[in-house]
Amino acid sequence: MPRKKATAESNDSKSQRTRARILDAAAHTLSVKGYSGTRLTDVAEYAELQAPAIYYYFKSREDLIEEVMFCGISDMRRHLQAELKAQPDDLSPMDRIMVAVESHLRHELELSDYARASIRNARQVPQQLQARQKKEAAAYNRIWRGLINDAVDSGDIRDDLDATMAQALILGALNWTAEWWDPRFSSVDAMVANAQTFVRHGLSPLPQAAKRRAGSPSRN
């Protein structure tokens, strides 16, 4: 009996590893080729499997892609929560936003094919495959909303900004880097540093002198 149990557990473990390998391959393929260009034959080749083997783990191409899209945003949410939880309690609201900027970019650009696949294909995947992904995206956005609101309450964000629009603009810019960033020409470290500077200065209140200049009438 113990031997049979050990064999069953071993088979389960092997099955789980194979399923994970298929998902990893699908995430990579989807992040590079997009929804319309992702073929199960490409996924199988990257996973070093025969294409029919995929159907043992996923009923269809759509089921496989739906799982990748869900994992992409779900993993990003958990990653951000972990990064924020690791920060000291006295970290300022603006600095917590900087942590979120770095977490988003690093997860998107260097840590996860899943995140890149989810972000790049969010508007390509059919609506019927987006239910779980949208629910996770809403949870991720709520974390950001809390960060932005805390910064507003503390006076870290200028009072002439609409907080909802500011959040949408920040996340839109961060997401778009998956489309144009090229690791051959700049590092992720450089991208993070530039994004943090851009966001911090875009959100921070203007110095009093700058406020006076902005409010003064133009000279003709």
Side-chain angles (χ1 to χ4, degrees):
M1 288 295 292
R3 181 173 298 177
K4 289 182 180 180
K5 181 179 179 181
T7 300
E9 290 176 350
S10 176
N11 289 338
D12 288 344
S13 179
K14 182 179 179 181
S15 178
Q16 291 167 0
R17 290 196 302 270
T18 302
R19 187 178 189 277
R21 198 161 84 241
I22 292 170
L23 280 169
D24 290 347
H28 173 79
T29 305
L30 196 60
S31 71
V32 173
K33 297 190 174 185
Y35 173 75
S36 61
T38 294
R39 304 282 185 268
L40 288 185
T41 51
D42 297 325
V43 174
E45 182 179 356
Y46 195 85
E48 299 181 340
L49 295 169
Q50 295 296 317
I54 294 176
Y55 290 105
Y56 179 80
Y57 300 92
F58 299 94
K59 291 187 296 185
S60 66
R61 169 182 177 271
E62 285 67 31
D63 282 349
L64 174 58
I65 289 176
E66 192 274 341
E67 183 70 13
V68 170
M69 297 293 287
F70 166 73
C71 289
I73 189 62
S74 180
D75 290 349
M76 180 171 274
R77 175 183 60 78
R78 289 196 297 269
H79 180 71
L80 175 56
Q81 288 175 322
E83 289 296 311
L84 291 171
K85 186 177 181 180
Q87 304 307 311
D89 293 338
D90 59 352
L91 194 68
S92 74
M94 180 61 76
D95 285 334
R96 288 177 67 80
I97 291 175
M98 296 303 103
V99 170
V101 169
E102 179 168 9
S103 171
H104 189 106
L105 284 175
R106 290 198 182 280
H107 204 257
E108 172 187 12
L109 299 179
E110 72 178 0
L111 297 180
S112 176
D113 282 339
Y114 290 83
R116 197 155 47 253
S118 182
I119 289 169
R120 296 190 70 179
N121 293 280
R123 297 191 179 277
Q124 297 182 34
V125 173
Q127 287 291 324
Q128 65 268 23
L129 302 183
Q130 295 185 26
R132 289 198 303 159
Q133 179 195 1
K134 285 184 175 180
K135 185 176 180 179
E136 282 295 308
Y140 185 74
N141 287 335
R142 283 195 296 272
I143 298 173
W144 272 88
R145 174 54 56 84
L147 295 171
I148 296 291
N149 286 345
D150 287 346
V152 169
D153 292 342
S154 68
D156 282 357
I157 290 183
R158 51 193 293 176
D159 56 15
D160 61 337
L161 286 179
D162 181 289
T164 301
M165 288 185 183
Q167 177 183 332
L169 287 166
I170 291 169
L171 288 176
L174 295 179
N175 286 339
W176 191 246
T177 60
E179 297 292 338
W180 61 264
W181 177 73
D182 191 328
R184 296 175 298 174
F185 303 117
S186 65
S187 67
V188 175
D189 289 345
M191 177 62 68
V192 168
N194 276 271
Q196 288 176 326
T197 299
F198 181 80
V199 172
R200 184 185 292 275
H201 286 281
L203 295 179
S204 295
L206 290 171
Q208 290 303 315
K211 284 185 178 180
R212 287 195 295 271
R213 287 197 298 273
S216 62
S218 60
R219 296 180 180 178
N220 295 325

